[in-house]
Amino acid sequence: MSNTQQDDKPSGILSTQPPNFSPGAVLEFARTYYGLTGSLSPLDSERDQNFLISSTAGDQYVIKISNSAMDPALLEMQVEALEHIARVDPELPVPRIIYSRNDSALEQIQTAGGLAHYVHVLTYLPGRYPKDDPAARSLLRPMGACLARLALSLRGFSHPAADYKLLWDLKQSAKLKAYLHYIPEPEHRQLASYFLERFEQHVLPEIPKLRAQVVHNDFVPNNVVVAEDYPGKIVGIIDFGDLIHSLLVTDLAAMLAQVILGYDDPVDAAGEIIAAYHESIPLEPAEIRLLYDLIAARLTMLNVIAAWRVTLYPGNREYITGGVEQVWDMLGVWRGLDPAEVTKRFFRACGLWEQQAAHPIPGHPSGTREDHLKRRARALGPYVYLFYERPLHIVRGEGVWLYDDEGKRYLDVYNNVPHVGHCHPHVVKAIADQAAKLNTSTRYMHDLIIEFAERITNRTPEPLSVCTFVCSGSEANELAWRMAKLVSGNRGALITRFSYHGNADATVQFSTEVVPQEELPTHVQTIYPPLSNSAFRKPDSGINKAIHNLSESGHRPAMLMLDSGFTSDGIFTPPPGYLSMLYTETRLAGGICVADEVQTGFGRLGEYFWGYEFDGVAPDILTMGKPMGNGHPVAAVVTRPEIAEALAAKTGYFNTYGGNPVSCAAGLAVLNVIEAEGLQRNALAVGAYLSGRLQAIGAAHPNLGEPHGSGLLLGVDILKPDGSPDPNLAKRIKNHMRENGVLIGTTGPHDNVLKIRPPIIFNQEHAETLLAALSQALEEC
Ligand SMILES: Cc1ncc(COP(=O)(O)O)c(C=O)c1O
């Protein structure tokens, strides 16, 4: 992929046709300018025209005719670099420059139309090209050692043209974002975008602190020659076309990205190369820490540029896209790896891990576990309880993974708040960028809040068009309650029998999971949740009785509030007819209907963006929260204009933090990721797969019931042999899985339903990890 200066301009080297001289014209040129006669055979080149000339005297040379867009200053730089290397390390097998009869390293050849192309002639380095077997293990250490030696030989070299803009320069990777639209497949685009976001977040800020010099920048198996009889001996280094002043470590990363492609354990292969490189050029910790992201950026670069170039040269598709699939596969593998673990292995390869591990991680709590637990109990009080018999000390999250203080990673099957994955780089960046710019209240005009409100209400049915931002699901439901009382003129609430709607004064009383039925105030009455995804208690799930009970104490319903996924009631999607029946009865009795989508919104359920859609109804108020900001506290209430107007006329509404620009940036970033990564579709597909596999495991296991729920909100009952709930076994399973690296929760009135509610980037492989841990727990508990 040797392409050089101003390559991303329309007139650049990546978009200008290579020269096309006839062999006859080239032979004539070689004879006239170099006194060379012999036979000519073409050599591969993407942007130039190269020939091998076998002279009548028995010598072999390479004639390189440069692309017309090539800056001669860069050619001069390449010539000078080769001469520098020959002086500094004469044994290093690089081509030697052949001077013309004019004693010049560069000559010019003209097309019939008078267009001049620069020409230079080099000695040909005979040997074998390992590119046909780049995964030859014997090449790993020599590649690392040889690249280091080459970099050392260039250490003292400088040239005024060296600091130019090259799209193939890894430190320019952020520029590739502008090319993402050339990638046709959304999942590939998403993968590329993910790694470019990581690059911006992790690498960009470090660049000014790193060692830089002129580097080869394309030291890959295509550009080395090995001995005919010994594939581990490098006898030639060719193609200095990407030579540039860049980070020293990018030279290494560019090579690693391409060499690891053929390996089942790419980290191991990379480790061997790194170790050999490190022996000659000791890597600095700051460089090692960036290698995971630099390798990813280089792989991304290969495919983004290929996707772009294929649109410029469709006739050359096969050549340009030849390796693209393998690179996508590797990027997929790379994303599945734990960056910290990869970095640790790279440190180990350099023999630096012990030293590194000895440094305390900033912000990492000190003291023993017992101290920590004691301090916590004292400082936070008894109600802030911890999950699991052996509480977890989580220090980091990424994607579907959480990491504890000992570096162990856990598959997160429990947390729905990091909806698009823990610490998604796009969301993190959106939050950080906006926090660095402005954060204030809704009392000033700001574009983001309008955009966010519109993006949400674009997804709600008319006339649900007014969006009020708050900070938590509890606040959203409190506001919905105030609105309901105001527009209905009533004071009663209808909820399900084991519900959760919040922690504030009103909403805690709508949370029968917290307040036992018998302690509920008379203005709150309960109905039955669904019996399954397809059935409910006929004829009316107890709503008429509940309305009657309200009237007994002088109340009429102000609202029916339902969690559309019945998450605390045991996890069900609304069965057909259930919501429509309840909505009709509530409205007949003078109340309005509130869909609490705090758990279910934003595509988790797969089939629909909101849970109420399962029964084709439209609520009067929609509340949302948890997944909205991927962990940033953002929540909202969407309602009809006349309900908002009624509130405005009565008291108005102000929330200090609700709708602040940082929250809106977070929320918009989440929506962008859901859309760009097709995550609702993913929830549907992976949820269906998981549900089918759970069913199959359940068929063979008497303790496991049928799964219910939808998409990536699934519940599966743990039962005794007689079919009754078994909360003790559920608890043992939960703790067993935790010890095995899979985090799951329990729910339902009997606490015997395993709650499956991971970030919705959860894929089939993650599902298999979960199922394996569950099967093992079922066997061993
Ligand atoms: C269905 C439902 N509604 C509301 C809430 C309250 O949200 P928050 O904890 O953000 O106040 C929750 C929280 O778990 C919930 O599950």
Side-chain angles (χ1 to χ4, degrees), residues 416 471-477 500-504 507 561-564 567-568 596-600 623 625-626 634-635 757:
N416 57 342
C471 307
S472 69
S474 304
E475 279 190 355
N477 287 337
Y500 187 80
H501 292 290
N503 59 25
T507 45
M561 179 176 273
L562 296 177
D563 164 6
S564 301
T567 324
S568 307
D596 177 344
E597 297 280 349
V598 170
Q599 291 271 358
T600 45
T623 62
K626 288 187 188 284
V634 193
R757 197 186 52 172

mmCIF file of all heavy atoms in Angstrom, residues 416 471-477 500-504 507 561-564 567-568 596-600 623 625-626 634-635 757, ligand 1:
data_model
loop_
_atom_site.group_PDB
_atom_site.id
_atom_site.type_symbol
_atom_site.label_atom_id
_atom_site.label_comp_id
_atom_site.label_asym_id
_atom_site.label_seq_id
_atom_site.Cartn_x
_atom_site.Cartn_y
_atom_site.Cartn_z
ATOM 1 N N ASN A 416 -28.191 -3.194 32.382
ATOM 2 C CA ASN A 416 -28.859 -2.617 31.215
ATOM 3 C C ASN A 416 -28.547 -1.142 31.040
ATOM 4 O O ASN A 416 -28.798 -0.569 29.990
ATOM 5 C CB ASN A 416 -30.364 -2.808 31.308
ATOM 6 C CG ASN A 416 -30.943 -2.215 32.581
ATOM 7 O OD1 ASN A 416 -30.221 -1.962 33.539
ATOM 8 N ND2 ASN A 416 -32.241 -2.000 32.587
ATOM 9 N N CYS A 471 -33.546 13.577 35.628
ATOM 10 C CA CYS A 471 -32.257 12.906 35.841
ATOM 11 C C CYS A 471 -32.364 11.421 36.193
ATOM 12 O O CYS A 471 -31.350 10.733 36.251
ATOM 13 C CB CYS A 471 -31.486 13.591 36.959
ATOM 14 S SG CYS A 471 -31.302 15.337 36.703
ATOM 15 N N SER A 472 -33.554 10.939 36.488
ATOM 16 C CA SER A 472 -33.664 9.525 36.871
ATOM 17 C C SER A 472 -35.058 9.028 36.530
ATOM 18 O O SER A 472 -35.991 9.825 36.335
ATOM 19 C CB SER A 472 -33.430 9.358 38.377
ATOM 20 O OG SER A 472 -34.509 9.925 39.087
ATOM 21 N N GLY A 473 -35.168 7.705 36.486
ATOM 22 C CA GLY A 473 -36.476 7.102 36.236
ATOM 23 C C GLY A 473 -37.471 7.494 37.315
ATOM 24 O O GLY A 473 -38.661 7.720 37.041
ATOM 25 N N SER A 474 -36.998 7.584 38.555
ATOM 26 C CA SER A 474 -37.885 7.966 39.653
ATOM 27 C C SER A 474 -38.452 9.358 39.417
ATOM 28 O O SER A 474 -39.655 9.593 39.579
ATOM 29 C CB SER A 474 -37.129 7.958 40.981
ATOM 30 O OG SER A 474 -36.550 6.708 41.202
ATOM 31 N N GLU A 475 -37.593 10.284 39.039
ATOM 32 C CA GLU A 475 -38.067 11.649 38.767
ATOM 33 C C GLU A 475 -39.059 11.655 37.616
ATOM 34 O O GLU A 475 -40.043 12.393 37.632
ATOM 35 C CB GLU A 475 -36.881 12.555 38.401
ATOM 36 C CG GLU A 475 -36.108 13.070 39.584
ATOM 37 C CD GLU A 475 -35.108 14.150 39.173
ATOM 38 O OE1 GLU A 475 -34.940 14.425 37.976
ATOM 39 O OE2 GLU A 475 -34.493 14.715 40.089
ATOM 40 N N ALA A 476 -38.776 10.849 36.612
ATOM 41 C CA ALA A 476 -39.681 10.798 35.452
ATOM 42 C C ALA A 476 -41.069 10.314 35.896
ATOM 43 O O ALA A 476 -42.094 10.890 35.532
ATOM 44 C CB ALA A 476 -39.110 9.883 34.378
ATOM 45 N N ASN A 477 -41.074 9.257 36.720
ATOM 46 C CA ASN A 477 -42.364 8.724 37.154
ATOM 47 C C ASN A 477 -43.068 9.658 38.142
ATOM 48 O O ASN A 477 -44.303 9.740 38.167
ATOM 49 C CB ASN A 477 -42.184 7.321 37.743
ATOM 50 C CG ASN A 477 -41.914 6.293 36.653
ATOM 51 O OD1 ASN A 477 -42.275 6.526 35.480
ATOM 52 N ND2 ASN A 477 -41.303 5.181 37.001
ATOM 53 N N TYR A 500 -41.714 -2.090 40.302
ATOM 54 C CA TYR A 500 -40.767 -1.091 40.791
ATOM 55 C C TYR A 500 -40.854 0.127 39.890
ATOM 56 O O TYR A 500 -40.703 0.014 38.667
ATOM 57 C CB TYR A 500 -39.324 -1.607 40.821
ATOM 58 C CG TYR A 500 -38.411 -0.598 41.483
ATOM 59 C CD1 TYR A 500 -38.358 -0.506 42.880
ATOM 60 C CD2 TYR A 500 -37.665 0.309 40.740
ATOM 61 C CE1 TYR A 500 -37.573 0.456 43.504
ATOM 62 C CE2 TYR A 500 -36.875 1.275 41.366
ATOM 63 C CZ TYR A 500 -36.838 1.343 42.738
ATOM 64 O OH TYR A 500 -36.072 2.294 43.364
ATOM 65 N N HIS A 501 -41.137 1.286 40.477
ATOM 66 C CA HIS A 501 -41.247 2.502 39.670
ATOM 67 C C HIS A 501 -40.416 3.645 40.230
ATOM 68 O O HIS A 501 -40.481 4.752 39.683
ATOM 69 C CB HIS A 501 -42.710 2.936 39.542
ATOM 70 C CG HIS A 501 -43.538 1.983 38.731
ATOM 71 N ND1 HIS A 501 -43.385 1.834 37.373
ATOM 72 C CD2 HIS A 501 -44.510 1.098 39.094
ATOM 73 C CE1 HIS A 501 -44.237 0.917 36.918
ATOM 74 N NE2 HIS A 501 -44.931 0.445 37.950
ATOM 75 N N GLY A 502 -39.676 3.427 41.321
ATOM 76 C CA GLY A 502 -38.822 4.526 41.764
ATOM 77 C C GLY A 502 -38.630 4.603 43.252
ATOM 78 O O GLY A 502 -39.203 3.843 44.034
ATOM 79 N N ASN A 503 -37.807 5.576 43.646
ATOM 80 C CA ASN A 503 -37.377 5.672 45.038
ATOM 81 C C ASN A 503 -37.898 6.920 45.749
ATOM 82 O O ASN A 503 -37.582 7.156 46.912
ATOM 83 C CB ASN A 503 -35.841 5.666 45.099
ATOM 84 C CG ASN A 503 -35.231 6.819 44.299
ATOM 85 O OD1 ASN A 503 -35.886 7.847 44.097
ATOM 86 N ND2 ASN A 503 -34.012 6.662 43.858
ATOM 87 N N ALA A 504 -38.658 7.761 45.043
ATOM 88 C CA ALA A 504 -39.107 9.008 45.672
ATOM 89 C C ALA A 504 -40.423 8.773 46.426
ATOM 90 O O ALA A 504 -40.984 7.671 46.388
ATOM 91 C CB ALA A 504 -39.264 10.097 44.624
ATOM 92 N N THR A 507 -43.323 7.538 44.167
ATOM 93 C CA THR A 507 -43.032 6.339 43.370
ATOM 94 C C THR A 507 -42.665 5.125 44.219
ATOM 95 O O THR A 507 -42.891 3.995 43.805
ATOM 96 C CB THR A 507 -41.904 6.611 42.350
ATOM 97 O OG1 THR A 507 -40.859 7.326 43.004
ATOM 98 C CG2 THR A 507 -42.411 7.393 41.167
ATOM 99 N N MET A 561 -49.913 2.784 35.855
ATOM 100 C CA MET A 561 -48.488 2.862 35.493
ATOM 101 C C MET A 561 -47.939 1.449 35.370
ATOM 102 O O MET A 561 -47.968 0.673 36.329
ATOM 103 C CB MET A 561 -47.711 3.635 36.567
ATOM 104 C CG MET A 561 -46.222 3.741 36.268
ATOM 105 S SD MET A 561 -45.353 4.767 37.484
ATOM 106 C CE MET A 561 -45.568 6.395 36.800
ATOM 107 N N LEU A 562 -47.457 1.114 34.179
ATOM 108 C CA LEU A 562 -46.947 -0.243 33.962
ATOM 109 C C LEU A 562 -45.542 -0.233 33.376
ATOM 110 O O LEU A 562 -45.269 0.509 32.424
ATOM 111 C CB LEU A 562 -47.857 -1.002 32.975
ATOM 112 C CG LEU A 562 -49.294 -1.259 33.411
ATOM 113 C CD1 LEU A 562 -50.057 -1.958 32.282
ATOM 114 C CD2 LEU A 562 -49.335 -2.118 34.677
ATOM 115 N N ASP A 563 -44.674 -1.011 33.964
ATOM 116 C CA ASP A 563 -43.353 -1.277 33.371
ATOM 117 C C ASP A 563 -43.614 -2.213 32.187
ATOM 118 O O ASP A 563 -44.099 -3.341 32.379
ATOM 119 C CB ASP A 563 -42.485 -1.948 34.450
ATOM 120 C CG ASP A 563 -41.228 -2.623 33.893
ATOM 121 O OD1 ASP A 563 -40.945 -2.480 32.687
ATOM 122 O OD2 ASP A 563 -40.537 -3.302 34.692
ATOM 123 N N SER A 564 -43.274 -1.758 30.994
ATOM 124 C CA SER A 564 -43.652 -2.541 29.799
ATOM 125 C C SER A 564 -42.940 -3.883 29.696
ATOM 126 O O SER A 564 -43.308 -4.706 28.856
ATOM 127 C CB SER A 564 -43.369 -1.729 28.534
ATOM 128 O OG SER A 564 -44.099 -0.528 28.573
ATOM 129 N N THR A 567 -40.406 -6.112 34.663
ATOM 130 C CA THR A 567 -39.082 -6.598 35.062
ATOM 131 C C THR A 567 -39.067 -7.143 36.488
ATOM 132 O O THR A 567 -38.428 -8.162 36.760
ATOM 133 C CB THR A 567 -38.051 -5.463 34.922
ATOM 134 O OG1 THR A 567 -38.377 -4.681 33.781
ATOM 135 C CG2 THR A 567 -36.656 -5.998 34.786
ATOM 136 N N SER A 568 -39.765 -6.475 37.398
ATOM 137 C CA SER A 568 -39.772 -6.973 38.783
ATOM 138 C C SER A 568 -40.804 -8.072 38.966
ATOM 139 O O SER A 568 -40.646 -8.949 39.807
ATOM 140 C CB SER A 568 -40.087 -5.825 39.747
ATOM 141 O OG SER A 568 -39.212 -4.773 39.518
ATOM 142 N N ASP A 596 -44.126 2.915 31.570
ATOM 143 C CA ASP A 596 -42.809 3.092 32.184
ATOM 144 C C ASP A 596 -41.817 2.272 31.351
ATOM 145 O O ASP A 596 -41.757 1.041 31.462
ATOM 146 C CB ASP A 596 -42.865 2.614 33.647
ATOM 147 C CG ASP A 596 -41.510 2.702 34.334
ATOM 148 O OD1 ASP A 596 -40.493 2.835 33.643
ATOM 149 O OD2 ASP A 596 -41.480 2.641 35.588
ATOM 150 N N GLU A 597 -41.081 2.987 30.527
ATOM 151 C CA GLU A 597 -40.132 2.319 29.621
ATOM 152 C C GLU A 597 -38.698 2.456 30.136
ATOM 153 O O GLU A 597 -37.751 2.373 29.365
ATOM 154 C CB GLU A 597 -40.255 2.912 28.207
ATOM 155 C CG GLU A 597 -41.615 2.708 27.563
ATOM 156 C CD GLU A 597 -41.816 1.315 26.965
ATOM 157 O OE1 GLU A 597 -40.822 0.564 26.862
ATOM 158 O OE2 GLU A 597 -42.969 0.982 26.628
ATOM 159 N N VAL A 598 -38.584 2.682 31.445
ATOM 160 C CA VAL A 598 -37.255 2.884 32.033
ATOM 161 C C VAL A 598 -36.363 1.645 31.807
ATOM 162 O O VAL A 598 -35.173 1.760 31.541
ATOM 163 C CB VAL A 598 -37.384 3.229 33.533
ATOM 164 C CG1 VAL A 598 -36.034 3.193 34.229
ATOM 165 C CG2 VAL A 598 -38.027 4.597 33.701
ATOM 166 N N GLN A 599 -36.974 0.472 31.879
ATOM 167 C CA GLN A 599 -36.198 -0.752 31.649
ATOM 168 C C GLN A 599 -36.193 -1.152 30.178
ATOM 169 O O GLN A 599 -35.225 -1.721 29.685
ATOM 170 C CB GLN A 599 -36.831 -1.922 32.433
ATOM 171 C CG GLN A 599 -36.713 -1.828 33.915
ATOM 172 C CD GLN A 599 -35.432 -2.460 34.446
ATOM 173 O OE1 GLN A 599 -34.616 -3.012 33.701
ATOM 174 N NE2 GLN A 599 -35.233 -2.345 35.734
ATOM 175 N N THR A 600 -37.296 -0.896 29.511
ATOM 176 C CA THR A 600 -37.537 -1.566 28.231
ATOM 177 C C THR A 600 -37.237 -0.733 27.005
ATOM 178 O O THR A 600 -37.184 -1.272 25.897
ATOM 179 C CB THR A 600 -39.019 -1.968 28.165
ATOM 180 O OG1 THR A 600 -39.780 -0.847 28.623
ATOM 181 C CG2 THR A 600 -39.308 -3.165 29.011
ATOM 182 N N THR A 623 -42.449 7.248 30.103
ATOM 183 C CA THR A 623 -41.269 7.641 30.888
ATOM 184 C C THR A 623 -40.097 6.750 30.506
ATOM 185 O O THR A 623 -40.282 5.592 30.143
ATOM 186 C CB THR A 623 -41.523 7.544 32.404
ATOM 187 O OG1 THR A 623 -41.814 6.183 32.748
ATOM 188 C CG2 THR A 623 -42.672 8.429 32.833
ATOM 189 N N GLY A 625 -35.508 6.177 31.060
ATOM 190 C CA GLY A 625 -34.333 6.538 31.866
ATOM 191 C C GLY A 625 -33.173 5.609 31.586
ATOM 192 O O GLY A 625 -32.607 5.669 30.501
ATOM 193 N N LYS A 626 -32.897 4.748 32.530
ATOM 194 C CA LYS A 626 -31.688 3.898 32.578
ATOM 195 C C LYS A 626 -30.758 3.916 31.350
ATOM 196 O O LYS A 626 -29.650 4.415 31.450
ATOM 197 C CB LYS A 626 -32.101 2.466 32.891
ATOM 198 C CG LYS A 626 -32.547 2.281 34.345
ATOM 199 C CD LYS A 626 -32.778 0.823 34.639
ATOM 200 C CE LYS A 626 -33.397 0.583 35.998
ATOM 201 N NZ LYS A 626 -32.455 0.728 37.112
ATOM 202 N N VAL A 634 -29.577 10.427 32.809
ATOM 203 C CA VAL A 634 -30.497 11.119 31.902
ATOM 204 C C VAL A 634 -31.806 10.354 31.921
ATOM 205 O O VAL A 634 -31.815 9.135 31.844
ATOM 206 C CB VAL A 634 -29.998 11.091 30.432
ATOM 207 C CG1 VAL A 634 -30.791 12.067 29.581
ATOM 208 C CG2 VAL A 634 -28.522 11.350 30.335
ATOM 209 N N ALA A 635 -32.927 11.066 32.010
ATOM 210 C CA ALA A 635 -34.237 10.427 31.945
ATOM 211 C C ALA A 635 -35.210 11.442 31.353
ATOM 212 O O ALA A 635 -34.877 12.623 31.218
ATOM 213 C CB ALA A 635 -34.686 9.974 33.334
ATOM 214 N N ARG A 757 -30.106 -9.396 31.113
ATOM 215 C CA ARG A 757 -30.367 -8.018 30.717
ATOM 216 C C ARG A 757 -29.037 -7.303 30.412
ATOM 217 O O ARG A 757 -28.725 -6.277 30.988
ATOM 218 C CB ARG A 757 -31.076 -7.367 31.910
ATOM 219 C CG ARG A 757 -31.793 -6.105 31.684
ATOM 220 C CD ARG A 757 -32.296 -5.541 32.993
ATOM 221 N NE ARG A 757 -31.263 -5.445 34.007
ATOM 222 C CZ ARG A 757 -31.397 -4.843 35.192
ATOM 223 N NH1 ARG A 757 -32.544 -4.291 35.535
ATOM 224 N NH2 ARG A 757 -30.406 -4.795 36.073
HETATM 225 C C1 LIG B 1 -39.334 0.114 35.660
HETATM 226 C C2 LIG B 1 -38.567 1.125 36.440
HETATM 227 N N1 LIG B 1 -39.045 2.352 36.582
HETATM 228 C C3 LIG B 1 -38.395 3.301 37.279
HETATM 229 C C4 LIG B 1 -37.200 3.038 37.886
HETATM 230 C C5 LIG B 1 -36.511 4.090 38.680
HETATM 231 O O1 LIG B 1 -35.414 4.581 37.977
HETATM 232 P P1 LIG B 1 -34.197 5.289 38.749
HETATM 233 O O2 LIG B 1 -33.485 4.245 39.521
HETATM 234 O O3 LIG B 1 -33.382 5.851 37.622
HETATM 235 O O4 LIG B 1 -34.769 6.351 39.620
HETATM 236 C C6 LIG B 1 -36.659 1.771 37.767
HETATM 237 C C7 LIG B 1 -35.354 1.449 38.391
HETATM 238 O O5 LIG B 1 -34.928 0.344 38.522
HETATM 239 C C8 LIG B 1 -37.352 0.786 37.024
HETATM 240 O O6 LIG B 1 -36.866 -0.444 36.891
#
